[in-house]
């Protein structure tokens, strides 16, 4: 029997153990997609309790606490921090097979040196030990501890990027912290608050916005602003991937939405298609990476959404992801003003084969993996999901050109997800080597793992960090 989460955790072959300990473990982290608030990095935020650091913005943990019958007061409410920690500890032993069980214990082990499994019985002891260590713990110190070289936050086009300016001007901050352009509120016309947002965009850009083309032009202004602040990428979050080419319908959708009238599904899709194509053209001109996340069924529990808002644990996998629209959408990019570097993510794991094979249709001469399938996202970010994505990418694409892992998180402890991914990657490659499917060539294996975990990301996005 293997010891729980020892140094060879998830590493089942000699090759996997060598690859992780001698290669992957030593590599820095570039976290090219996260939801950390740049204000917290600018101010080098400190945390009063482990509950604030560990549970304060982690909807993954909140979701599981609801599965465990924990009252909302102890999840997102005003309960005492110790009570919140006790509540999470009480449900953790039931999460066998869930990645949160592994992530949580990796976080406790790497940051606080705690080897014991967390339960209701030792919750108070571990809570006190963690809190005693928080005095020297801050946002930046955590990033340095995990050897983070660069991160991209997720930023709205209307943001003034003031916190990014403050970070960039700070000579004591050696980690690159860059904005990423997230135009969802201007694109997703069917969402509540669209008209108000467009009026805000008009104010920020000092541009009169009277039609869909004006929205695209205003976003173009903000793309220039973001580029001046070091931005290297954009990210589009879509409930499903759409493709409807109908300029008249797009125009009707905009006028209706601004007048507070209902917009039909086809009209909304026409507008979103038009705006997404326009944005891709700007990104291609700037040589940015464009990421598209789709396949999420959001805010399903309306009463809870009304009280807690978005990103609080009430989203699910959308079985109607619209993956069949990815190819015509990318083709429209190519026919318009150029296809930017692309990373494609679907929350529906059934789309893995489609995404990697579609990516293969849109490569660029002289470039490595110009369009590629992204890492296993959100509900797929577990051992089974990661192995499946890696296997499919290797079978139908080029695993050696993959840009690897990201946290997609609001927590400074989530860098352990890179370790989790790297262990699973080394496990999978080790299996191929040990079964004779790939030669035991240490030079080639080292290059593969170093590229997937670090170098590919550095080159693909143009971070230029050492």
């Amino acid at each position: 029997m293997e010891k729980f989460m020892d140094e060879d955790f998830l590493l089942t072959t000699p090759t996997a153990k060598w690859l992780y300990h001698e290669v992957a473990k030593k590599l820095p982290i570039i976290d090219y997609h996260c939801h950390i608030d740049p204000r917290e990095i600018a101010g080098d935020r400190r945390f009063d309790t482990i509950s604030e650091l560990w549970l304060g913005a982690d909807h993954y943990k909140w979701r599981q606490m609801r599965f465990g019958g924990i009252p909302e007061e102890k999840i997102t409410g005003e309960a005492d921090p110790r009570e919140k920690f006790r509540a999470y500890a009480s449900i953790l032993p039931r999460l066998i097979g869930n990645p949160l069980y592994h992530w949580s214990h990796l976080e406790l082990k790497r940051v606080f040196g705690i080897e014991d499994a967390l339960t209701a019985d030792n919750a108070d002891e571990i809570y006190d030990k963690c809190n005693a260590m928080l005095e020297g713990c801050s946002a930046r110190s955590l990033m340095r501890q995990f050897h983070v070289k660069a991160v991209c936050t997720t930023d709205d086009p209307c943001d003034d990027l003031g916190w990014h300016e403050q970070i960039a001007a700070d000579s004591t901050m050696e980690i690159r912290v860059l904005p990423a352009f997230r135009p969802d509120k201007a694109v997703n016309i069917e969402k509540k608050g669209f008209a108000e947002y467009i009026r805000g965009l008009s104010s920020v850009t000092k541009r009169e916005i009277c039609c869909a083309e004006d929205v695209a032009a205003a976003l173009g202004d903000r793309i220039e602003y973001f580029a001046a602040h070091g931005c290297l990428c954009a990210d589009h979050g879509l409930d499903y991937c759409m493709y409807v080419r109908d300029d008249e319908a797009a125009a009707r959708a905009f006028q209706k939405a601004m007048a507070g009238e209902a917009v039909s599904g086809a009209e909304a899709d026409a507008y979103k298609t038009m705006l997404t194509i326009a944005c891709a053209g700007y990104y291609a001109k700037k040589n940015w990476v464009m990421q598209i996340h789709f396949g999420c069924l959001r805010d399903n529990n309306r009463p809870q959404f009304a009280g807690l808002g978005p990103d609080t644990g009430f989203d699910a996998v959308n079985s109607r992801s619209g993956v069949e629209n990815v190819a015509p959408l990318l083709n429209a990019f190519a026919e318009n003003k150029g296809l930017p570097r692309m990373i494609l993510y679907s929350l529906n794991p059934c789309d893995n084969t489609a995404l990697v094979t579609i990516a293969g249709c849109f490569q660029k001469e002289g470039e490595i993996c110009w369009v590629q399938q992204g890492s296993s996202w959100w509900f797929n970010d577990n051992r089974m999901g990661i192995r499946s994505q890696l296997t499919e990418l290797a079978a139908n694409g080029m695993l050696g050109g993959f840009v690897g892992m990201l946290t997609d998180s609001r927590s400074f402890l989530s860098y352990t997800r890179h370790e989790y991914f790297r262990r699973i990657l080394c496990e999978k490659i080790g299996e191929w080597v040990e079964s004779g499917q790939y030669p035991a060539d240490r030079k080639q294996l080292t290059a593969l793992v170093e590229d997937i975990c670090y170098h590919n990301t550095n080159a693909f996005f143009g971070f230029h960090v050492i």
Side-chain angles (χ1 to χ4, degrees):
M1 179 184 296
E2 300 289 339
K3 181 182 177 183
F4 171 63
M5 204 171 280
D6 64 5
E7 288 305 300
D8 291 331
F9 173 58
L10 297 179
L11 306 173
T12 55
T13 65
T15 300
K17 293 173 184 178
W18 168 76
L19 274 175
Y20 178 73
H21 292 300
E22 299 301 321
V23 183
K25 182 179 179 179
K26 301 176 181 180
L27 295 168
I29 288 173
I30 295 177
D31 197 30
Y32 57 88
H33 176 67
C34 75
H35 294 276
I36 286 173
D37 187 342
R39 177 191 314 221
E40 297 183 348
I41 301 174
D44 198 16
R45 181 182 175 183
R46 295 180 179 272
F47 301 87
D48 293 331
T49 68
I50 179 60
S51 296
E52 183 181 16
L53 172 61
W54 213 34
L55 303 172
D58 196 335
H59 60 79
Y60 288 83
K61 293 186 175 81
W62 298 346
R63 183 182 179 92
Q64 296 306 321
M65 292 171 79
R66 295 184 188 112
F67 267 123
I70 303 299
E72 195 65 35
E73 178 71 8
K74 295 182 180 180
I75 302 173
T76 60
E78 300 299 322
D80 179 79
R82 184 182 292 271
E83 288 302 315
K84 290 186 175 183
F85 189 85
R86 286 172 175 168
Y88 185 64
S90 73
I91 64 103
L92 197 54
R94 297 183 178 184
L95 296 183
I96 184 170
N98 190 295
L100 267 175
Y101 195 81
H102 295 153
W103 296 347
S104 297
H105 286 100
L106 281 174
E107 290 163 359
L108 290 174
K109 187 172 185 175
R110 296 292 175 249
V111 178
F112 301 101
I114 292 170
E115 302 278 349
D116 296 334
L118 176 61
T119 68
D121 295 334
N122 62 10
D124 282 339
E125 176 187 349
I126 290 178
Y127 181 83
D128 291 334
K129 182 175 180 178
C130 290
N131 283 348
M133 297 177 68
L134 282 178
E135 184 175 346
C137 187
S138 69
R140 296 187 186 187
S141 71
L142 287 167
M143 296 173 78
R144 293 184 178 113
Q145 181 177 341
F146 285 107
H147 201 190
V148 176
K149 288 287 189 178
V151 299
C152 291
T153 60
T154 303
D155 305 272
D156 186 88
C158 291
D159 197 312
D160 67 4
L161 302 182
W163 298 113
H164 282 279
E165 291 177 348
Q166 183 174 322
I167 295 166
D170 187 344
S171 61
T172 68
M173 183 55 170
E174 75 286 2
I175 301 168
R176 292 197 76 187
V177 181
L178 302 178
F181 192 75
R182 182 75 176 243
D184 294 5
K185 291 180 180 178
V187 174
N188 294 334
I189 193 170
E190 78 281 12
K191 301 290 185 179
K192 185 178 179 180
F194 172 81
E196 181 181 359
Y197 180 81
I198 295 301
R199 286 189 282 270
L201 180 63
S202 175
S203 176
V204 167
T205 59
K206 297 179 172 56
R207 178 188 287 272
E208 186 177 7
I209 299 178
C210 301
C211 60
E213 289 82 358
D214 290 343
V215 178
L219 291 177
D221 293 343
R222 299 309 291 169
I223 287 167
E224 292 291 342
Y225 183 82
F226 271 59
H229 286 74
C231 184
L232 300 172
C233 61
D235 180 49
H236 288 234
L238 304 168
D239 292 353
Y240 57 89
C241 187
M242 73 287 128
Y243 183 75
V244 174
R245 299 299 298 273
D246 186 336
D247 291 349
E248 291 184 1
R252 286 198 307 273
F254 180 80
Q255 297 303 328
K256 284 183 177 181
M258 296 304 292
E261 300 174 12
V263 177
S264 73
E267 289 170 335
D269 286 351
Y271 171 85
K272 290 191 287 185
T273 301
M274 174 187 284
L275 262 292
T276 304
I277 293 171
C279 284
Y282 287 119
Y283 306 151
K285 182 179 179 181
K286 289 296 179 186
N287 199 28
W288 283 8
V289 174
M290 181 180 187
Q291 301 174 82
I292 297 181
H293 289 80
F294 67 94
C296 182
L297 201 61
R298 295 187 182 274
D299 308 324
N300 297 291
N301 189 326
R302 290 296 173 178
Q304 287 283 46
F305 175 75
L308 299 175
D311 304 317
T312 51
F314 300 100
D315 303 326
V317 175
N318 192 341
S319 61
R320 294 185 174 184
S321 66
V323 69
E324 69 277 5
N325 293 321
V326 174
L329 187 63
L330 266 58
N331 187 67
F333 296 169
E335 291 180 337
N336 181 34
K337 295 182 180 179
L339 179 72
R341 285 185 178 87
M342 298 284 306
I343 306 178
L344 307 169
Y345 311 80
S346 174
L347 198 54
N348 191 330
C350 297
D351 294 341
N352 280 346
T353 304
L355 281 188
V356 70
T357 54
I358 290 169
C361 300
F362 292 94
Q363 297 307 314
K364 184 174 181 179
E365 184 176 354
E367 300 286 349
I368 298 173
C369 297
W370 186 262
V371 177
Q372 58 178 276
Q373 180 194 19
S375 60
S376 50
W377 172 40
W378 200 344
F379 296 116
N380 304 308
D381 191 2
N382 51 62
R383 182 172 176 268
M384 178 178 66
I386 294 171
R387 285 174 60 90
S388 176
Q389 186 267 344
L390 291 173
T391 302
E392 191 61 54
L393 179 54
N396 284 301
M398 181 182 284
L399 183 58
F402 181 38
V403 293
M405 192 55 176
L406 47 86
T407 64
D408 191 29
S409 172
R410 292 165 175 79
S411 171
F412 288 96
L413 297 183
S414 291
Y415 297 114
T416 53
R417 296 182 193 178
H418 283 265
E419 176 183 343
Y420 193 60
F421 167 82
R422 291 174 180 185
R423 286 178 177 272
I424 295 168
L425 172 69
C426 293
E427 174 195 31
K428 189 63 187 172
I429 292 176
E431 290 175 4
W432 283 324
V433 173
E434 299 280 342
S435 63
Q437 298 181 61
Y438 192 88
D441 182 332
R442 290 201 167 192
K443 180 180 178 181
Q444 297 301 325
L445 289 168
T446 297
L448 267 174
V449 170
E450 287 181 342
D451 284 348
I452 294 167
C453 294
Y454 185 72
H455 295 307
N456 289 344
T457 303
N458 201 9
F460 191 78
F461 285 83
F463 285 106
H464 303 304
V465 292
I466 300 173

